[in-house]
Amino acid sequence: MKKIEAIIRPVKLDEVKDALNKAGVRGMTVTQVAGCGLQKGKKGFYRGSEYSIDLLPKVKLEVIVPDAMVDQLLDIITTQVRSGEIGDGKIFVYPVETAVRIRTGEKGEEAL
């Protein structure tokens, strides 16, 4: 099993979520986060004064999937999110040793 963690623009969440559901992903965790990378934040103006916003709002999407689904889901997320501009986000893939469904005691891929 693998954990796919994608940091994306908030406006892309619904598109990605719908595409992952169509691909058979049965569960996900979504967290509102803030961060910066190459984008380096942006300048804003308030009442005529300039200020810097160093951390931009992002969404972290996490799913645990069988190894066989990883490449397909990476393609889906990349296709849905890519605009070609700085700030599109990043995807990380981590190994997962096991999963346990607390309600039933199922372990491994059955718990997904």
Side-chain angles (χ1 to χ4, degrees), residues 45-64:
F45 290 93
Y46 180 72
R47 295 187 177 186
S49 297
E50 184 180 54
Y51 64 95
S52 178
I53 302 171
D54 295 331
L55 298 176
L56 298 173
K58 298 287 182 180
V59 170
K60 180 166 65 170
L61 177 72
E62 299 169 281
V63 296
I64 310 295

Side-chain angles (χ1 to χ4, degrees), residues 49-88:
S49 297
E50 184 180 54
Y51 64 95
S52 178
I53 302 171
D54 295 331
L55 298 176
L56 298 173
K58 298 287 182 180
V59 170
K60 180 166 65 170
L61 177 72
E62 299 169 281
V63 296
I64 310 295
V65 297
D67 291 344
M69 291 184 73
V70 171
D71 289 333
Q72 174 192 8
L73 297 186
L74 292 177
D75 289 341
I76 288 170
I77 295 168
T78 302
T79 301
Q80 294 297 319
V81 173
R82 180 180 289 143
S83 71
E85 298 176 8
I86 292 175
D88 279 347

Side-chain angles (χ1 to χ4, degrees), residues 2-21:
K2 301 283 189 218
K3 175 183 181 182
I4 298 176
E5 185 176 283
I7 310 295
I8 63 173
R9 297 176 193 261
V11 298
K12 297 292 188 172
L13 177 61
D14 287 336
E15 296 170 37
V16 173
K17 185 177 63 161
D18 292 343
L20 292 177
N21 284 331

